[in-house]
Amino acid sequence: MPDMKVNEKHVTVGKQFHDDPRMTMRNVNVFYGEKQAIHDVSIDIGKNEVMAMIGPSGCGKSTFLRSLNRMNDTVEGCRVEGEICMDGESLYNTKLDVVELRARVGMVFQKPNPFPKSIYENVAYGAKIHGLADSRIDLDEIVENSLNKAGLWKEVKDRLHQPGTGLSGGQQQRLCIARAIAVTPEVILMDEPCSALDPIATARIEELIKELSENFTIAIVTHSMQQAARVSDRTAYFHLGQLIEVNPTEQVFTMPEHELTEGYITGRFG
Amino acid sequence: MDKLSFENHIASRYDEELEQIFSQLMAMGGKVEQQVQLAVKAILDSDSNIAERVIQGDKDVDRMEIRIDEDCVLVIARRQPTASDLRLVISVTRAVADLERIGDEAEKIAKHALELIEHGPLMSGYTVVSQLGVSVTAMLHNALDAFARFDADAAMRTIDEDKQVDQEYKAALSELDTLMASEPALLKQYLNLVWIVRSLERIGDHAKNLCEQIVFVAKGKDIRHQ
Ligand SMILES: Nc1ncnc2c1ncn2[C@@H]1O[C@H](COP(=O)(O)OP(=O)(O)OP(=O)(O)O)[C@@H](O)[C@H]1O
Ligand SMILES: [Mg+2]
């Protein structure tokens, strides 16, 4: 049995690296002022892989996820150390255009947050500012394609110019996914994307995640063990800011390597 | 072996549900073990009362199987067990099926015992049944004991005992063959004994399956068909 204690020099158990990585993170530390929220995390996310990140509330999942597209830059007092690369290129390179980065590494949040604009504009907006469309026809095509991939096209094609905020919660979340896809990202980060949705809307999003993984790399934070088990290829377990274990999802849910993982996923006291 | 305790779930009712399932499995194991012992005794003592008791007792075994299976389905629906909890529940549903089959074999033995008694007991051929009976009941006992403690090492040792049982089974068959050839008039009775040793051998196989489930629970390894 690997050491149970969470200590400074702990070693992540399992398979944290990947043969064909899209993103590589090495010795990542994240601080909020004096307080360290992420301790020395190293992990790869493979191309077309769905990586689930699980762990108790406050263990740093969102913090880590946000450092993957520099969303932490916007958080007062937040400092990120270590190496975070996409396709071998450091994301914390000072010359890097952060707006462009956020298009390449898109994000979907817990609460659907469509802009107070039409459904069409919600999806078209990013494509427009990133200059992905030369004409109205191009833009129409991007909007239709993205809504299609997000599984929303049929439901909204006759009301494209009505406000996005008028959709149901599940539809809004798929709209946000369409918005993220529209700028052809390489990676999509999702932070508890289904926590505000009912089982049917959740099933739709999960189905969508599986389909999207054919074209994108996905990292998803979830509090639902079953969701992680259903959608992901590998699962990463975080505990008090440390990465305890990364393993193929089927292994994590049947025979986890670390006792802390076992305790968490079986619902036992830590 | 704290990794395989039922305890410490944040939902304490979950501990109780698993505990309950497991203690029912142990009770069923005890009942089935007794059925096998009694069935063997019925032949060796030519006791039709005991044979009848075994046949009646199989209904209890069947009821236990259904009850435990239902409880496993419920705990899966309610709790969606994972990791060691999942392996435990799955292994219980498999073990219950093997125990039920052992119960059926005990019942078959008892029925053959009744036929034998009716035809008039034999003068020879019981030694092989007795010997195999001892080995098989010991094997079953060891399997259940290992299950109670999730002891994968003991389970592996018990799996090894199956080789001995298979040898004794072959020896018993050839002995009964010789006896049948020398006393063709008693063919029917000897065939009862053939069926009985066959059932005992099957019980050994089921006991081995139980042991494989222990290894699955304790180690997460599926060693079936290896
Ligand atoms: N803006 C912030 N300023 C200071 N501390 C923060 C900030 N955001 C998060 N933290 C702290 O960092 C730690 C990790 O928080 P984080 O939100 O990443 O956890 P989480 O795993 O996503 O939890 P949850 O499952 O509840 O969403 C917590 O102790 C939290 O209080
Ligand atoms: Mg969070």
Side-chain angles (χ1 to χ4, degrees):
Chain A
M1 191 52 38
D3 61 319
M4 284 184 57
K5 273 176 266 122
V6 174
N7 56 43
E8 288 301 322
K9 291 204 183 50
H10 105 105
V11 183
T12 302
V13 302
K15 301 183 175 62
Q16 73 210 96
F17 303 120
H18 194 278
D19 291 340
D20 189 16
R22 173 71 72 200
M23 302 198 76
T24 50
M25 280 60 75
R26 292 294 179 272
N27 309 104
V28 174
N29 293 298
V30 183
F31 301 83
Y32 292 107
E34 294 292 291
K35 185 179 177 297
Q36 187 165 0
I38 290 292
H39 298 259
D40 199 29
V41 168
S42 295
I43 187 172
D44 289 339
I45 307 178
K47 287 181 182 140
N48 302 328
E49 183 175 41
V50 180
M51 170 72 78
M53 297 178 178
I54 62 171
S57 187
C59 69
K61 304 175 298 289
S62 298
T63 299
F64 186 69
L65 199 72
R66 282 197 304 266
S67 62
L68 304 188
N69 72 346
R70 293 186 56 175
M71 290 288 281
N72 283 334
D73 290 13
T74 63
V75 177
E76 180 80 22
C78 186
R79 198 171 87 245
V80 178
E81 282 178 359
E83 203 179 285
I84 300 181
C85 295
M86 180 159 65
D87 302 322
E89 178 197 2
S90 171
L91 300 188
Y92 283 77
N93 181 338
T94 44
K95 280 179 247 145
L96 194 107
D97 177 352
V98 176
V99 176
E100 196 204 324
L101 168 66
R102 303 238 171 91
R104 289 171 67 199
V105 184
M107 190 145 186
V108 175
F109 298 86
Q110 176 171 6
K111 263 179 59 190
N113 57 347
F115 307 133
K117 286 190 163 39
S118 73
I119 294 170
Y120 185 97
E121 279 302 317
N122 261 282
V123 183
Y125 177 79
K128 271 197 281 195
I129 62 165
H130 291 289
L132 296 175
D134 291 333
S135 65
R136 178 75 195 192
I137 295 170
D138 277 1
L139 203 56
D140 285 353
E141 200 179 305
I142 289 173
V143 170
E144 179 172 347
N145 269 337
S146 309
L147 286 169
N148 239 325
K149 282 198 195 121
L152 193 59
W153 176 247
K154 284 204 191 90
E155 285 157 73
V156 301
K157 66 178 193 298
D158 300 321
R159 52 199 270 209
L160 288 175
H161 299 287
Q162 288 171 22
T165 47
L167 296 171
S168 75
Q171 289 172 326
Q172 287 187 23
Q173 196 60 304
R174 279 179 285 148
L175 179 63
C176 293
I177 292 173
R179 184 176 68 190
I181 300 170
V183 293
T184 58
E186 289 166 59
V187 181
I188 304 174
L189 310 175
M190 299 184 173
D191 197 346
E192 299 177 48
C194 300
S195 59
L197 306 184
D198 78 357
I200 294 170
T202 298
R204 287 231 173 85
I205 302 276
E206 288 179 1
E207 194 62 23
L208 182 58
I209 290 171
K210 275 297 186 198
E211 284 163 24
L212 293 176
S213 69
E214 286 170 24
N215 299 306
F216 308 98
T217 295
I218 296 170
I220 177 174
V221 167
T222 175
H223 277 137
S224 157
M225 297 301 112
Q226 274 64 42
Q227 178 162 76
R230 285 189 297 260
V231 303
S232 68
D233 301 304
R234 278 189 302 157
T235 296
Y237 175 65
F238 287 81
H239 187 95
L240 298 175
Q242 297 187 331
L243 181 58
I244 303 299
E245 169 168 358
V246 187
N247 262 318
T249 296
E250 66 226 39
Q251 184 186 341
V252 170
F253 288 93
T254 55
M255 189 72 196
E257 214 171 310
H258 202 289
E259 290 209 352
L260 288 171
T261 319
E262 167 99 19
Y264 181 69
I265 66 164
T266 60
R268 285 179 163 86
F269 296 108
Chain B
M1 211 165 268
D2 56 334
K3 233 194 139 188
L4 283 168
S5 79
F6 311 110
E7 288 161 22
N8 290 330
H9 286 101
I10 292 155
S12 60
R13 285 281 303 139
Y14 190 7
D15 292 352
E16 288 164 28
E17 287 163 18
L18 292 177
E19 189 73 58
Q20 171 78 4
I21 284 174
F22 193 71
S23 59
Q24 287 185 82
L25 178 79
M26 290 295 106
M28 184 178 178
K31 173 76 189 173
V32 164
E33 188 183 349
Q34 187 191 38
Q35 288 283 96
V36 174
Q37 283 165 349
L38 287 176
V40 172
K41 191 170 163 55
I43 320 157
L44 299 181
D45 297 358
S46 294
D47 187 330
S48 54
N49 284 332
I50 295 182
E52 294 288 0
R53 251 175 77 195
V54 171
I55 293 165
Q56 283 304 311
D58 193 52
K59 297 199 180 88
D60 294 334
V61 174
D62 291 349
R63 265 195 296 275
M64 289 167 128
E65 178 194 26
I66 288 175
R67 175 75 205 282
I68 298 171
D69 254 350
E70 276 172 6
D71 284 0
C72 286
V73 168
L74 261 181
V75 85
I76 289 170
R78 267 199 205 119
R79 310 283 180 190
Q80 289 100 48
T82 51
S84 56
D85 298 334
L86 177 63
R87 299 199 306 278
L88 175 76
V89 174
I90 295 296
S91 74
V92 169
T93 63
R94 290 175 181 159
V96 157
D98 277 302
L99 287 174
E100 192 272 334
R101 301 284 296 280
I102 294 175
D104 286 349
E105 298 298 341
E107 189 191 7
K108 280 187 212 162
I109 293 172
K111 284 181 173 164
H112 285 291
L114 284 181
E115 278 185 33
L116 252 181
I117 294 162
E118 203 176 300
H119 295 142
L122 291 157
M123 300 308 291
S124 50
Y126 291 98
T127 331
V128 289
V129 173
S130 154
Q131 197 175 22
L132 192 60
V134 168
S135 305
V136 166
T137 39
M139 190 178 165
L140 177 59
H141 181 85
N142 293 340
L144 291 168
D145 209 45
F147 221 125
R149 290 179 286 112
F150 298 118
D151 185 341
D153 296 329
M156 293 304 286
R157 284 195 299 276
T158 308
I159 287 174
D160 265 349
E161 291 174 35
D162 195 43
K163 293 188 189 112
Q164 169 82 16
V165 166
D166 283 347
Q167 269 171 15
E168 287 179 12
Y169 169 61
K170 286 198 188 100
L173 280 187
S174 82
E175 162 111 22
L176 290 171
D177 240 18
T178 318
L179 288 169
M180 279 188 280
S182 63
E183 297 174 280
L186 298 174
L187 192 67
K188 248 191 178 154
Q189 285 92 317
Y190 280 122
L191 276 178
N192 284 134
L193 288 187
V194 169
W195 285 114
I196 287 166
V197 296
R198 163 110 193 103
S199 281
L200 288 171
E201 189 268 340
R202 293 292 300 142
I203 291 171
D205 289 344
H206 289 298
K208 183 176 164 212
N209 294 348
L210 292 176
C211 292
E212 291 168 349
Q213 291 314 311
I214 300 162
V215 176
F216 175 67
V217 182
K219 306 260 192 228
K221 275 191 289 203
D222 195 333
I223 57 162
R224 292 178 297 178
H225 312 298
Q226 281 178 13

